[in-house]
Amino acid sequence: MTTSDQALLRQKRVLIGSILIAGLCSIIYELLISTTASYFLGDSIRQFSITIGLYMAAMGLGSWLSRWINGNLLLAFIAVELVLGLIGGLSVPFMYLAYAFTDLIQPTMILLIVLVGTLTGLEVPLLTRILENQDILAKNLSNVLSLDYLGALLATLAFPFLVLPWMGVFQSSLVFGLLNIALGLLNLWYFAPQLALPRRRILGLSGLTVTAFLVLLLVFSKGLLDQWSNSLYGDRIVYREQTPYQTIVMTRYKEDLRLFLNGNLQFSSIDEYRYHEALVHVPLSQHPAPKRVLLLGAGDGLAVRELLKYPAVETITLVDLDPAMVALARQDLRLRALNGNSLNDPRVTTVAEDAMVYLDRGQQRFDVILADLPDPNNVSLARLYSREFYRLVRQHLAPGGIFTTQATSPYFATKAFWSVKASLDAAGYPQVVPYHVQVPSFGEWGFVYARVAEGSLTPKPIEVETRYLDQTTVAEALTFERDLRPTGSVAVSSLDSPTIHDYYMDSWSYWH
């Protein structure tokens, strides 16, 4: 092999390696954009579907536009990488700003997807044309596409297991933006002899300037996130963690400790006892001997605190998808003070698993099962409010067993609330009773009680210490004013047709 041939081979390897990294970065940007949109807008299925469709269409647009690019194709490819690194690197910061200070989060998401997709669509045709003198077209194109697809595979595997848990969405976008720019500068340096000096200097200076800007944002990212979070949450951030499943934020103002998951309030320490007493003590007061209790969700330990008040309770199994939430509730001094160190009680066993998967695989039966799950703001969560899920729960109830679930707000999401009742009726429970309480931080909040035996929910004295709930308030909770009742029929929610998700999103989008 001649020296000239060796040089061409090295150039080819650099360019082929470039498309691997470029493909990886582009997919990471799209995953970051859709994940961030899911955090802010909910309905992850919708956000990812929009992302995939627009991204593919924009790639087609980029491929079509590439035919108009002539002249030095290497310069064009390097410029694309630098611009892609800048836009991709700033994609999540742009979305954070749009969410915090404007109502343009969805248009911002769409614009970013189209820009990233269009620039990505330019890459493959440019590289194919750059390499056309070295191989026949078929071989050349297959090499470029195979490396591009491999980069996409690496991105999809790395994102949930490495990228998101280690860096979170904000820092990840900056890091991969820098990687993309470094790729452009590497090609600029390697192919410098083939590039005109004036344009080489312009690209080099532009790349270094953008690099410095993104590095600066990365260095100060913690402070920027704190300022953004404080502007969004209002109160001082005392804890923030990005897990593979969600963003956990705790805020504090005087004595009020609040927990947010993906920006959604989970509790306020000032009035959380109203919610948790209603969730726990209504069903527990109806069961003569609640020895074995299963909690689905409730990783903050507050429902466990209420359950541990009952001497009859021998075992509590808590199933929460996110082990980081359970670890926080078990270790954080502020949460431990609030939940009474409940998760360290020897009667409590915690399992890090999806609630539906746990029930599907398990055989154990329980006297009481409580569902303290997030609202059905996406299709994945909606399945935990389906007729099929409630049938699965029923299979794990012992004779005379009781199931109670939080069921969102009968005032703000009326049809979603009554859909829970309809779905439990459809699941075959002989006794299904809705009830509601006033929780100041949330407003009117609802629950649905179901039992595998015939009978009625009769208000009884609460035999354990409470701050809010008693026999009188239970009786009041069973009464629904006219504006809390549905107008018209309410559909059953199922795995195949998750109507509760549509009800929920329509209601809350109106109030928001």
Side-chain angles (χ1 to χ4, degrees):
M1 183 180 293
T2 66
T3 303
S4 176
D5 290 338
Q6 291 176 346
L8 286 173
L9 181 60
R10 287 194 297 269
Q11 291 178 10
K12 179 180 176 181
R13 288 173 177 171
V14 170
L15 290 169
I16 292 295
S18 295
I19 200 61
L20 172 68
I21 302 301
L24 183 147
C25 289
S26 296
I27 295 297
I28 290 289
Y29 298 146
E30 299 301 335
L31 290 170
L32 288 169
I33 292 168
S34 50
T35 300
T36 306
S38 299
Y39 289 166
F40 295 151
L41 300 172
D43 193 0
S44 59
I45 300 297
R46 181 177 300 178
Q47 308 313 327
F48 276 86
S49 295
I50 291 172
T51 300
I52 293 170
L54 284 177
Y55 179 62
M56 298 302 291
M59 284 182 64
L61 174 63
S63 297
W64 181 78
L65 291 174
S66 68
R67 70 176 65 187
W68 306 107
I69 298 177
N70 296 303
N72 193 315
L73 299 179
L74 271 172
L75 277 174
F77 175 72
I78 293 167
V80 165
E81 295 310 306
L82 296 180
V83 175
L84 187 56
L86 175 62
I87 294 174
L90 294 177
S91 59
V92 173
F94 277 147
M95 294 187 69
Y96 273 46
L97 289 171
Y99 181 73
F101 302 110
T102 75
D103 295 324
L104 302 175
I105 180 66
Q106 191 84 67
T108 301
M109 168 195 173
I110 292 171
L111 177 61
L112 289 168
I113 293 169
V114 170
L115 289 175
V116 171
T118 301
L119 290 167
T120 302
L122 291 170
E123 292 172 331
V124 171
L126 285 175
L127 277 174
T128 304
R129 289 166 63 189
I130 290 169
L131 293 168
E132 66 183 355
N133 293 326
Q134 298 188 22
D135 290 304
I136 59 173
L137 178 61
K139 181 180 178 183
N140 184 15
L141 186 60
S142 66
N143 287 335
V144 172
L145 289 177
S146 62
L147 269 294
D148 187 45
Y149 295 153
L150 178 59
L153 172 63
L154 294 175
T156 55
L157 293 177
F159 185 77
F161 300 110
L162 299 174
V163 176
L164 199 57
W166 286 4
M167 294 182 287
V169 291
F170 193 94
Q171 291 184 339
S172 294
S173 69
L174 297 173
V175 168
F176 280 90
L178 287 168
L179 178 60
N180 222 149
I181 292 168
L183 177 65
L185 291 175
L186 173 65
N187 279 273
L188 183 65
W189 168 78
Y190 191 86
F191 294 104
Q194 302 178 35
L195 307 175
L197 182 60
R199 294 187 178 181
R200 193 172 75 214
R201 285 178 173 174
I202 292 172
L203 285 177
L205 183 60
S206 300
L208 292 175
T209 302
V210 173
T211 299
F213 178 60
L214 293 184
V215 168
L216 197 64
L217 287 178
L218 187 60
V219 170
F220 292 101
S221 60
K222 185 179 184 304
L224 291 171
L225 279 172
D226 288 341
Q227 290 186 11
W228 175 85
S229 297
N230 288 329
S231 69
L232 180 65
Y233 292 101
D235 300 333
R236 181 170 60 92
I237 307 292
V238 296
Y239 183 87
R240 182 178 60 241
E241 180 182 1
Q242 175 66 59
T243 79
Y245 305 100
Q246 59 197 348
T247 301
I248 303 173
V249 171
M250 283 200 302
T251 68
R252 186 156 207 161
Y253 176 71
K254 295 183 179 180
E255 298 305 313
D256 186 12
L257 182 70
R258 296 189 172 212
L259 175 71
F260 297 83
L261 299 180
N262 291 340
N264 300 309
L265 178 64
Q266 303 303 300
F267 70 75
S268 163
S269 62
I270 290 177
D271 57 21
E272 55 79 17
Y273 63 90
R274 280 180 165 241
Y275 172 94
H276 291 101
E277 286 180 6
L279 173 69
V280 172
H281 299 309
V282 171
L284 268 289
S285 67
Q286 301 296 308
H287 199 289
K291 295 181 179 180
R292 300 176 304 279
V293 179
L294 173 64
L295 263 176
L296 304 175
D300 52 36
L302 299 176
V304 177
R305 176 197 64 200
E306 299 300 318
L307 285 169
L308 289 173
K309 294 178 180 180
Y310 290 86
V313 173
E314 297 176 356
T315 64
I316 300 170
T317 304
L318 187 152
V319 179
D320 194 290
L321 180 64
D322 194 346
M325 183 65 247
V326 175
L328 180 65
R330 185 175 275 143
Q331 299 166 8
D332 185 87
L333 294 178
R334 293 157 298 208
L335 268 182
R336 285 174 59 184
L338 191 60
N339 65 31
N341 198 26
S342 60
L343 296 187
N344 291 312
D345 189 283
R347 287 175 285 175
V348 179
T349 301
T350 61
V351 180
E353 196 165 24
D354 176 88
M356 196 163 193
V357 173
Y358 175 83
L359 291 173
D360 190 46
R361 288 170 32 177
Q363 300 295 326
Q364 188 176 1
R365 290 180 178 264
F366 300 89
D367 301 309
V368 176
I369 299 177
L370 303 177
D372 186 12
L373 298 162
D375 288 352
N377 63 6
N378 61 57
V379 176
S380 179
L381 288 170
R383 67 195 172 93
L384 304 179
Y385 294 83
S386 66
R387 173 187 56 203
E388 291 81 2
F389 178 74
Y390 294 145
R391 285 175 178 166
L392 194 57
V393 169
R394 188 181 174 193
Q395 294 173 14
H396 288 270
L397 285 170
I402 296 171
F403 170 64
T404 297
T405 179
Q406 82 88 8
T408 190
S409 172
Y411 183 78
F412 295 108
T414 307
K415 283 195 170 183
F417 172 79
W418 290 101
S419 179
V420 174
K421 181 185 182 302
S423 301
L424 280 163
D425 284 329
Y429 290 82
Q431 182 185 4
V432 179
V433 182
Y435 63 98
H436 65 104
V437 298
Q438 178 67 219
V439 183
S441 295
F442 295 94
E444 205 70 41
W445 210 259
F447 305 84
V448 181
Y449 165 103
R451 192 165 189 164
V452 294
E454 297 283 354
S456 60
L457 197 167
T458 305
K460 297 179 181 179
I462 307 299
E463 302 294 342
V464 298
E465 181 182 354
T466 60
R467 296 173 61 186
Y468 163 66
L469 204 69
D470 57 24
Q471 189 172 1
T472 301
T473 51
V474 172
E476 294 171 348
L478 298 174
T479 301
F480 283 81
E481 297 83 355
R482 289 183 64 185
D483 61 348
L484 300 183
R485 303 172 199 160
T487 56
S489 61
V490 175
V492 171
S493 190
S494 66
L495 290 179
D496 183 63
S497 180
T499 53
I500 191 170
H501 170 259
D502 297 328
Y503 287 150
Y504 181 87
M505 296 305 294
D506 288 346
S507 299
W508 281 107
S509 62
Y510 172 79
W511 289 106
H512 286 173

